[in-house]
Amino acid sequence: MLSIPKLKNTDSPQFFLMAGPCAIEGRDMALRIAEHIVTLTDRLKIPYIFKGSYRKANRTKVDSFTGIGDEKALKILQEISQTFGVPTVTDIHESHEAAFAAEYVDVLQIPAFLCRQTELIAAAARTGKAVNVKKGQFLSGASMKFAVEKINDTNPDCQVLLTDRGNSFGYGELIVDYRNLPAMRAFDVPVIMDCTHSLQQPNQESGVTGGKPKLIETIAKAAIAVGADGLFIETHFNPAEAKSDGANMLPLDQLEGLLEKLVRVRESIL
């Protein structure tokens, strides 16, 4: 089971959920989204971790939204954790960010493009926080054993998580190879399926990533059936107005129905 402070419903047989907006766009929106998801996950007995990026470093265009200010966004994440009693997760992109972000959140996330950055991974592990490493779009699940080894070598007590978010298929599509989930579970760590980023359409000529959000339910159901321990879902009140990754986000008002279906899928395979 996950060893993350403040994680609720840990005695439930359900999958756990990492969900929230792609980026922290402001205090009110973040708290409203958190309150909505906490209410749902408490009712369904789903262990829940609020997700929000305090800064977006991997943008295509120079004028793309990157954040509202590092400390301001991290304090919002901290407030969510204190208000709702749930852990939080955010991305880091450079080694010096690890200790800074760790003062505010419970889980540090290594983006897929950076999953081979040894010093970044080690810096995250040294904080003592749980570390979620996203599998690169260019890697197999089996090759993620080296990321696990780097974390264990730095801090044997660190809670490690691995997340699949699809593999590159040509220049502008991703596909999900569900063999990667059992391959990563073989390392004796919780495995997560990123149901939204795996539906991205990267490298668009417009400089804005596209997506296929209508397939989120398909990806999520299959992941639960294959044995994923957790799901990662980015969601927003109005994805069309989101300042980052809106094209592949789930509208927040669709989350309840989706989770209810996924709970039944999980129950059917236990």
Side-chain angles (χ1 to χ4, degrees), residues 95 114-123 150 154:
S95 302
L114 303 177
C115 68
R116 294 182 63 188
Q117 297 297 105
T118 301
E119 181 51 38
L120 176 62
I121 290 173
K150 289 175 182 178
T154 302

Side-chain angles (χ1 to χ4, degrees), residues 159-195:
Q159 170 70 73
V160 185
L161 305 96
L162 295 178
T163 297
D164 190 10
R165 49 100 74 235
N167 283 83
S168 296
F169 186 68
Y171 292 113
E173 292 284 351
L174 297 170
I175 57 171
V176 176
D177 180 352
Y178 285 97
R179 295 176 299 177
N180 285 323
L181 296 179
M184 293 192 295
R185 287 195 84 200
F187 310 136
D188 197 28
V189 299
V191 172
I192 303 164
M193 184 71 233
D194 184 337
C195 304

Side-chain angles (χ1 to χ4, degrees), residues 205-219:
E205 291 184 4
S206 65
V208 178
T209 298
K212 297 179 178 179
K214 291 182 179 180
L215 292 174
I216 291 172
E217 182 175 322
T218 300
I219 296 294

Side-chain angles (χ1 to χ4, degrees), residues 7-8 17-20 34 37-38 41 46-51 86-87:
L7 190 66
K8 298 187 290 185
L17 177 68
M18 286 186 176
I37 303 176
V38 167
T41 52
I46 295 172
Y48 173 54
I49 303 166
F50 178 86
K51 184 271 167 184
V86 295

Side-chain angles (χ1 to χ4, degrees), residues 77-206:
L77 286 164
Q78 185 179 56
E79 182 179 358
I80 287 169
S81 182
Q82 294 170 344
T83 301
F84 300 107
V86 295
T88 57
V89 57
T90 198
D91 320 65
I92 58 171
H93 300 84
E94 298 184 59
S95 302
H96 69 266
E97 296 178 47
F100 174 52
E103 295 180 17
Y104 299 91
V105 301
D106 305 284
V107 184
L108 298 176
Q109 182 167 282
I110 308 299
F113 286 131
L114 303 177
C115 68
R116 294 182 63 188
Q117 297 297 105
T118 301
E119 181 51 38
L120 176 62
I121 290 173
R126 281 194 293 269
T127 67
K129 300 291 185 174
V131 179
N132 179 33
V133 186
K134 286 196 169 184
K135 182 185 73 63
Q137 301 92 320
F138 43 86
L139 293 176
S140 69
S143 64
M144 290 300 289
K145 70 177 180 179
F146 302 111
V148 176
E149 288 175 355
K150 289 175 182 178
I151 294 172
N152 289 337
D153 182 69
T154 302
N155 179 2
D157 297 322
C158 184
Q159 170 70 73
V160 185
L161 305 96
L162 295 178
T163 297
D164 190 10
R165 49 100 74 235
N167 283 83
S168 296
F169 186 68
Y171 292 113
E173 292 284 351
L174 297 170
I175 57 171
V176 176
D177 180 352
Y178 285 97
R179 295 176 299 177
N180 285 323
L181 296 179
M184 293 192 295
R185 287 195 84 200
F187 310 136
D188 197 28
V189 299
V191 172
I192 303 164
M193 184 71 233
D194 184 337
C195 304
T196 45
H197 288 99
S198 60
L199 292 167
Q200 284 184 332
Q201 294 176 302
N203 305 316
Q204 300 298 303
E205 291 184 4
S206 65

